[in-house]
Amino acid sequence: MDSNRHIYSCQSGCPVESTLQVISGKWKSVILYHLIKHDATHFGELSRAIRDCSRRMLALQLKELERDGLISKRQFPVIPPKTEYSLTSFGESIEPVILAMESWGNYYNKVNVENGINVEANQ
Amino acid sequence: MDSNRHIYSCQSGCPVESTLQVISGKWKSVILYHLIKHDATHFGELSRAIRDCSRRMLALQLKELERDGLISKRQFPVIPPKTEYSLTSFGESIEPVILAMESWGNYYNKVNVENGINVEANQ
DNA sequence: CGGGATCCTAACCGATACTG
DNA sequence: CAGTATCGGTTAGGATCCCG
């Protein structure tokens, strides 16, 4: 296990810490977002959709999301191999959080654009 | 600048990445949560409320939240010194995200309790 | 009380190479 | 295509001390 070794002890059961325990991985919410929007369900698609996430990190985060029961994986024994990731019903329960993030992010981007700050890739 | 040096490039302006740019610091959403709930507004109160966050990290995250315009600080020139943190109106706009996290965290805790998993501090 | 400065280690995480 | 393994630099972040 490489990342997210239960950083949050959830003293007094703070609900926000509990949530972070599951989605605080660097790319997890972005992955969930793409799964929600069905922009991407295959490993390669996700990788292309989230350019700044290395394939290694993508694999790790997917594994942890699967371990935590938020997503499930289906493998097709074909050549070339194919894999399909999707939200479990438990994973779907977290949609409101991700959609709230989407919504605020759009607002934030708009504010930045109005202030002349470039929102696009800053490469 | 110590953490969160714009990790996310926001390629194609992915709104979730934009949000993460602001709240992905390890304790930021927890801090915001406590400020929203007014559990704590002083440095010491926040420190006591978020036990697992060191004072150093707390100071750092507060600074970044202030830099990003989500919170503001008022200093009272008294002995002993007193500081009051509060959400800016911009900071208030992110409440839905934090409250969604709270709500899902409560659900998640409940599920864990039902499965006999201890949610409380695992010190 | 509310922080800042330093030191230092564990961990994150990218690059590269390899496999079925 | 969909990953895993290993290496190694970078950084997050704790511990400690200090100061107004």
Side-chain angles (χ1 to χ4, degrees):
Chain A
M1 214 166 313
D2 200 11
S3 72
N4 194 29
R5 269 130 311 168
H6 287 270
I7 313 159
Y8 302 95
S9 78
C10 298
Q11 291 246 351
S12 72
C14 169
V16 172
E17 291 190 39
S18 300
T19 300
L20 287 175
Q21 221 168 356
V22 172
I23 61 161
S24 69
K26 192 176 175 188
W27 295 103
K28 290 186 184 170
S29 8
V30 183
I31 294 171
L32 291 172
Y33 176 60
H34 283 287
L35 288 180
I36 288 171
K37 293 296 179 176
H38 305 108
D39 293 328
T41 65
H42 305 269
F43 188 87
E45 286 174 347
L46 283 167
S47 184
R48 251 170 286 118
I50 317 176
R51 277 268 192 266
D52 294 323
C53 178
S54 68
R55 299 170 66 80
R56 178 184 123 84
M57 278 312 296
L58 182 57
L60 278 169
Q61 304 270 297
L62 283 169
K63 255 175 115 168
E64 294 188 4
L65 285 170
E66 194 187 358
R67 179 201 65 196
D68 291 334
L70 293 178
I71 67 175
S72 64
K73 168 164 60 164
R74 276 206 321 194
Q75 310 240 35
F76 300 91
V78 296
I79 309 285
K82 192 178 255 189
T83 317
E84 212 170 274
Y85 291 96
S86 56
L87 291 176
T88 62
S89 60
F90 181 55
E92 283 172 8
S93 71
I94 213 172
E95 277 194 20
V97 176
I98 307 296
L99 295 181
M101 292 178 67
E102 175 198 25
S103 165
W104 192 84
N106 281 324
Y107 165 67
Y108 180 65
N109 284 344
K110 215 188 66 186
V111 170
N112 280 343
V113 166
E114 280 165 9
N115 292 335
I117 297 170
N118 187 9
V119 170
E120 299 297 323
N122 44 0
Q123 33 182 329
Chain B
M1 212 168 313
D2 202 7
S3 71
N4 195 28
R5 269 129 313 167
H6 288 271
I7 314 159
Y8 302 95
S9 77
C10 298
Q11 291 247 351
S12 71
C14 169
V16 172
E17 290 190 38
S18 300
T19 300
L20 286 175
Q21 221 168 355
V22 171
I23 60 161
S24 69
K26 191 177 175 188
W27 295 103
K28 290 186 185 171
S29 12
V30 183
I31 294 171
L32 292 172
Y33 175 60
H34 283 288
L35 288 181
I36 288 172
K37 293 295 181 179
H38 304 109
D39 294 328
T41 65
H42 303 269
F43 188 87
E45 286 174 347
L46 284 167
S47 184
R48 250 170 286 118
I50 317 174
R51 277 268 191 266
D52 294 321
C53 177
S54 69
R55 300 171 64 79
R56 178 182 123 85
M57 278 314 295
L58 182 56
L60 278 169
Q61 305 271 297
L62 283 169
K63 252 174 112 170
E64 293 187 5
L65 285 171
E66 195 188 356
R67 180 200 65 197
D68 292 335
L70 293 178
I71 67 176
S72 64
K73 169 164 57 164
R74 276 206 321 194
Q75 311 240 34
F76 300 91
V78 296
I79 308 286
K82 192 177 254 186
T83 316
E84 212 170 273
Y85 292 96
S86 57
L87 291 176
T88 62
S89 61
F90 181 56
E92 282 172 9
S93 71
I94 212 172
E95 277 194 22
V97 177
I98 307 295
L99 295 180
M101 292 177 68
E102 175 197 25
S103 165
W104 192 83
N106 281 325
Y107 165 68
Y108 180 65
N109 283 345
K110 214 188 67 184
V111 171
N112 280 343
V113 166
E114 279 163 9
N115 292 335
I117 297 170
N118 187 8
V119 170
E120 299 298 322
N122 43 0
Q123 32 179 338

